[in-house]
Amino acid sequence: MDHSDSRRKPHFLGKVLMAAILTALCIFILKQSPGFIGDSALKTLCCRNAEFYNYGNISIFLNIWMDHSDSRRKPHFLGKVLMAAILTALCIFILKQSPGFIGDSAFSRHEPGVTHVLVTGGAGYIGSHAALRLLKDSYRVTIVDNLSRGNIGAVKVLRELFPEPGRLQFIYADLAVAYVGESTLEPLRYYHNITANTLVILEAMAAHGVKTLIYSSTCATYGEPEKMPITEETPQFPINPYGKAKKMAEDMILDFSKNSDMAVMILRYFNVIGSDPEGRLGEAPRPELREHGRISGACFDAALGIIPGLKVKGTDYPTADGTCIRDYIDVTDLVDAHVKALDKASPNKVGIYNVGTGKGRSVKEFVEACKKATGANIKVDYLDRRPGDYAEVYSDPSKINRELNWTAQYTDLQECLSIAWRWQKSHRNGYGSPSVMKVKGTDYPTADGTCIRDYIDVTDLVDAHVKALDKASPNKVGIYNVGTGKGRSVKEFVEACKKATGANIKVDYLDRRPGDYAEVYSDPSKINRELNWTAQYTDLQECLSIAWRWQKSHRNGYGSPSVMKV
Ligand SMILES: *[C@@H]1O[C@H](CO)[C@@H](O)[C@H](O)[C@H]1NC(C)=O
Ligand SMILES: *[C@@H]1O[C@H](CO)[C@@H](O)[C@H](O)[C@H]1NC(C)=O
Ligand SMILES: *[C@@H]1O[C@H](CO)[C@@H](O)[C@H](O)[C@H]1NC(C)=O
Ligand SMILES: *[C@@H]1O[C@H](CO)[C@@H](O)[C@H](O)[C@H]1NC(C)=O
Ligand SMILES: *[C@@H]1O[C@H](CO)[C@@H](O)[C@H](O)[C@H]1NC(C)=O
C-alpha cells in the first residue's frame, strides 16, 4: 500500500552509495594532503557527504571500529556477556590547541577555553552517550562514524538538543576502507580495524599536534586472570583476537606516548548496560545485528517478544548460583569516567583505569533484574556451558576511584535496566522514522472522503486458486475477479487496524496523490456462481488481528531467531 516508502528506498540507497564513493575519494585526497584538518579543498569535496545528512563540515577522518558479530564464531571467544561490554569501540581525543583546527567555519574557529573533542564511533551506543555528556559539558564535539553500527538517528537527537552552530558536527567517514584489503582473513580484521586504525589515529595526532587521547579499551585484554577482582596490575594475557588487538593498541599508545608529551588515558570497560536516564538516547542495534547483540539487548528483545526467550549457557560454574559472574557498568557512569579522565589528563602522563562497579552479578541475577525491570515473564532456557567462557570477571575500581574521584552511581541492576527499558519500549523502531500512517487524500467523493478499496484475505485468495484448479478443464478459459465485493474506505481500514493491534496509531492525513482513484471494488458473482467461491474472511478487523498475531511474534520477519547465548 505504501508507495511513498518504496519510492524513497532506492533513492536513499543511491545516496548511501554516493556517500561511499565520495568517502573513498576523500580518503584518497586525505592521503595526498598532509594538512588535512581544515583543508578547504577536502572540506568542499567531503561536505557533500555531510550535507546528505545536513550535519556540518568535514574536518578530520578517523574511525575506530570493532566488530563483534564475527566473534561468536570463534571457539575461544569471550562469553557473550563479556562481549556486551564493548559493543562500540570508542575513542575520544581532544583537538585542544590543534593548530590545524583553526579554519574558516563557525565550527573550527578556535576560541580560548573551548575544547574540541572528536568522538569516533559517536553515532553508536556508547559513542552517542559520550557525545551527549560532552555537549552538555560545553565541549565542541565532532562525531565520526561510518554508520555501519551507528545510528544517524542518534546524531539527529543530539543535533536537536544542541542546534547552535559550531557545537556538534557529524562526519560520515570510514578510514578502514583505505586500509583493509577485501581478502583479509577473519582474525586479521581485528588487527586492521582496531590496531591499525589506532595507529592511524596516533599518526594523525602526531601530525596535527593533538595532545590528548582517551582510549577505550576493554577488560578482554586481561584474558582469563586467576585472581579476582581484576586490578590494573592484573597481568594481561588476552585469549582472543579482540582482546589481543586491543592490547596491541594499548601497547602502541604507551610506546608512542613515551616519546611525546601526550596526555593519555586508557579506560578498560567491563560490561556496559543502561541508557540515558532522561530517555534521549538508547541502544538500537540494527535488526540484522540483534542476534549478535549484548545481554541487555537480548533481555529487551525477549520482553518485546522479538525472541522467544533467553538462553543461559552454563549452570554448573563454581559460583554461588552456578551461572557466570560479570561486572555490569552503566553507560552513564562509563561516560562520566571518560569526562573525569579528560579533566585529569595531563601532558607526559599515562593513566590506565578499570571502569566497572567492582561488584559481580550472576547471569541469573541479571535475568531476574531483567524480568522485574520489564515486567515481562521471560522464558529462560538453561543450557550446557559454552567452551571458552570463564566463571567470574569483575573489576577492582579503587584506582579510578582514588585518582579520578570516580565511582559508579548506577549500581542497581534493575534500575539501570528499567531506565533502558523505558527507552526500548517507546522506541521499538529504534531510531527509525516514527511509524506514522500516511493517508493521502481526504476529499474524494466517498462517504468519508478517503479512497475505497476491496481487501481480500490471503486465505480466501488461496482458496479461490484451489477451487480454480479443481474446476480447470481442457479447452476452457475461466477469468475471475477475486475480491469481497465490498469496498472499505482507508479510514475504515485505519480504524480496524487500530482495533486489531490495540495500538494508538498516529495518522497523518495528507493531500491526494496524483493517479489514485476514489473507488475500486469487485463484483465477485461470476467466481461465486462458477467456482462456488465466496470470501469467508470479510471482517477487516479480524483479518488484521490474525496478521497482527504473526507480526508480533515475528518482529524479525523470517530472519534467524535472535537468541541470546550466555
Ligand atoms: C560549515 O561551513 C560553512 C562555511 O565554512 C559555514 O557557513 C557553516 O556554518 C558550517 N556549518 C557548520 C555546521 O559548522
Ligand atoms: C573490519 O573492517 C572490515 C571492513 O572495513 C569489515 O568488513 C569487518 O567486518 C571488520 N571486522 C572486524 C572484526 O571488526
Ligand atoms: C564501516 O566500518 C566498519 C569497520 O571498519 C566496516 O566493517 C564497515 O564495512 C564500514 N561500513 C561502511 C558502510 O563503510
Ligand atoms: C569527589 O566526588 C564527590 C561526589 O561526586 C564530590 O562531592 C567531591 O567533592 C569530590 N572530591 C574531590 C576531591 O574532587
Ligand atoms: C458450495 O460451497 C458451500 C460452502 O463452501 C458448500 O456447502 C456447498 O456444498 C458447495 N456447493 C456446491 C454445488 O459445490
Side-chain angles (χ1 to χ4, degrees):
M1 275 294 285
D2 195 344
H3 299 266
S4 63
D5 268 2
S6 53
R7 272 205 310 258
R8 257 177 37 210
K9 221 166 194 173
H11 190 43
F12 174 76
L13 283 176
K15 280 186 165 176
V16 169
L17 200 65
M18 193 187 78
I21 292 165
L22 284 169
T23 304
L25 259 166
C26 290
I27 284 164
F28 173 73
I29 291 198
L30 183 153
K31 288 165 84 182
Q32 312 289 303
S33 134
F36 64 88
I37 303 177
D39 180 316
S40 63
L42 182 70
K43 221 177 219 175
T44 313
L45 186 63
C46 297
C47 270
R48 277 181 249 169
N49 276 337
E51 272 167 16
F52 162 45
Y53 300 109
N54 286 317
Y55 288 138
N57 299 319
I58 227 81
S59 41
I60 190 169
F61 282 84
L62 292 168
N63 188 9
I64 287 196
W65 262 111
M66 60 133 325
D67 184 347
H68 273 3
S69 61
D70 303 302
S71 42
R72 58 189 271 289
R73 288 186 218 132
K74 304 281 187 301
H76 294 303
F77 273 8
L78 294 182
K80 204 74 172 225
V81 178
L82 196 58
M83 283 299 178
I86 41 199
L87 179 75
T88 310
L90 167 69
C91 168
I92 297 181
F93 68 93
I94 309 168
L95 302 174
K96 202 194 292 189
Q97 280 144 22
S98 158
F101 215 81
I102 301 166
D104 51 8
S105 80
F107 194 91
S108 56
R109 200 181 319 119
H110 182 73
E111 291 164 37
V114 175
T115 304
H116 292 262
V117 181
L118 187 144
V119 182
T120 63
Y125 163 54
I126 297 172
S128 60
H129 281 84
L132 173 59
R133 168 67 192 267
L134 290 164
L135 286 163
K136 219 180 85 206
D137 289 7
S138 302
Y139 290 94
R140 293 191 169 189
V141 174
T142 296
I143 287 175
V144 181
D145 204 307
N146 78 356
L147 300 178
S148 72
R149 293 292 146 109
N151 275 289
I152 194 65
V155 179
K156 279 184 186 152
V157 167
L158 295 171
R159 199 26 112 206
E160 278 158 21
L161 289 168
F162 301 94
E164 310 90 323
R167 284 299 287 288
L168 168 68
Q169 66 179 339
F170 170 75
I171 299 171
Y172 173 89
D174 182 14
L175 195 66
V177 294
Y179 271 78
V180 181
E182 274 175 24
S183 61
T184 311
L185 293 171
E186 286 269 319
L188 296 183
R189 301 202 307 191
Y190 282 89
Y191 301 107
H192 273 295
N193 294 1
I194 296 167
T195 317
N197 284 351
T198 303
L199 183 61
V200 169
I201 285 185
L202 292 175
E203 282 167 350
M205 290 178 71
H208 300 284
V210 177
K211 295 292 184 201
T212 310
L213 172 67
I214 313 297
Y215 190 77
S216 303
S217 189
T218 164
C219 61
T221 58
Y222 293 111
E224 220 168 330
E226 279 168 13
K227 269 205 329 226
M228 284 296 143
I230 294 176
T231 73
E232 290 78 0
E233 275 68 51
T234 298
Q236 288 175 293
F237 296 113
I239 56 167
N240 58 41
Y242 176 64
K244 287 177 194 170
K246 280 286 191 183
K247 167 79 166 65
M248 283 166 67
E250 282 192 8
D251 288 344
M252 233 158 41
I253 292 166
L254 296 179
D255 282 346
F256 176 68
S257 69
K258 278 179 201 149
N259 298 318
S260 76
D261 56 356
M262 260 175 77
V264 174
M265 293 290 202
I266 293 175
L267 303 181
R268 296 183 184 144
Y269 306 176
F270 284 67
N271 297 17
V272 187
I273 59 165
S275 63
D276 174 38
E278 288 177 50
R280 295 163 293 192
L281 297 170
E283 190 185 356
R286 312 257 165 121
E288 70 272 20
L289 300 175
R290 280 193 117 103
E291 68 174 297
H292 308 299
R294 299 141 26 74
I295 187 170
S296 49
C299 154
F300 301 138
D301 282 356
L304 289 168
I306 297 173
I307 58 173
L310 296 179
K311 292 194 171 162
V312 174
K313 298 212 165 171
T315 53
D316 56 354
Y317 286 100
T319 59
D321 65 18
T323 63
C324 291
I325 284 181
R326 298 292 181 266
D327 187 342
Y328 298 99
I329 175 79
D330 194 276
V331 68
T332 302
D333 282 331
L334 178 66
V335 160
D336 184 49
H338 279 81
V339 174
K340 291 213 157 84
L342 201 55
D343 285 350
K344 287 274 163 69
S346 61
N348 296 311
K349 274 204 177 157
V350 175
I352 297 179
Y353 302 100
N354 286 340
V355 189
T357 62
K359 273 177 251 163
R361 318 300 167 87
S362 77
V363 171
K364 258 191 192 148
E365 279 178 83
F366 188 95
V367 169
E368 286 314 307
C370 167
K371 283 184 184 170
K372 282 190 191 137
T374 60
N377 184 20
I378 295 164
K379 193 173 147 259
V380 186
D381 284 341
Y382 291 97
L383 307 172
D384 282 348
R385 287 191 193 191
R386 183 174 52 185
D389 270 355
Y390 23 76
E392 239 182 337
V393 182
Y394 60 94
S395 70
D396 174 351
S398 53
K399 187 180 173 199
I400 188 168
N401 185 333
R402 199 171 56 239
E403 297 188 6
L404 304 188
N405 192 27
W406 175 92
T407 322
Q409 304 296 317
Y410 293 85
T411 53
D412 182 333
L413 204 51
Q414 189 185 324
E415 194 197 320
C416 298
L417 292 174
S418 297
I419 289 170
W421 173 239
R422 274 210 298 277
W423 191 88
Q424 294 289 333
K425 259 197 314 191
S426 56
H427 294 80
R428 286 176 198 237
N429 206 7
Y431 285 107
S433 52
S435 326
V436 174
M437 262 182 93
K438 285 182 185 147
V439 173
K440 299 208 168 172
T442 52
D443 56 352
Y444 286 100
T446 59
D448 64 18
T450 62
C451 291
I452 283 181
R453 297 290 181 269
D454 187 343
Y455 299 97
I456 176 76
D457 193 278
V458 68
T459 303
D460 282 332
L461 178 66
V462 161
D463 186 48
H465 280 79
V466 174
K467 291 213 159 81
L469 197 55
D470 287 350
K471 287 278 166 63
S473 61
N475 299 312
K476 271 200 179 163
V477 173
I479 298 178
Y480 303 100
N481 286 341
V482 189
T484 63
K486 273 178 249 163
R488 314 312 162 86
S489 77
V490 171
K491 258 191 190 150
E492 278 178 85
F493 187 97
V494 169
E495 285 314 309
C497 179
K498 282 185 185 170
K499 281 188 190 138
T501 59
N504 183 20
I505 295 165
K506 219 183 131 222
V507 185
D508 279 351
Y509 291 98
L510 307 173
D511 283 348
R512 288 190 193 193
R513 186 172 47 188
D516 272 352
Y517 19 73
E519 238 179 337
V520 182
Y521 60 95
S522 70
D523 174 351
S525 51
K526 187 182 173 197
I527 189 169
N528 187 333
R529 200 169 56 240
E530 298 187 7
L531 303 190
N532 191 28
W533 175 91
T534 325
Q536 302 299 317
Y537 293 88
T538 54
D539 182 331
L540 203 52
Q541 188 186 323
E542 197 197 319
C543 298
L544 292 173
S545 296
I546 290 170
W548 174 238
R549 273 210 298 276
W550 191 89
Q551 293 290 334
K552 258 199 311 191
S553 56
H554 295 78
R555 288 179 197 236
N556 207 7
Y558 285 108
S560 52
S562 324
V563 170
M564 181 186 85
K565 284 173 193 141
V566 177

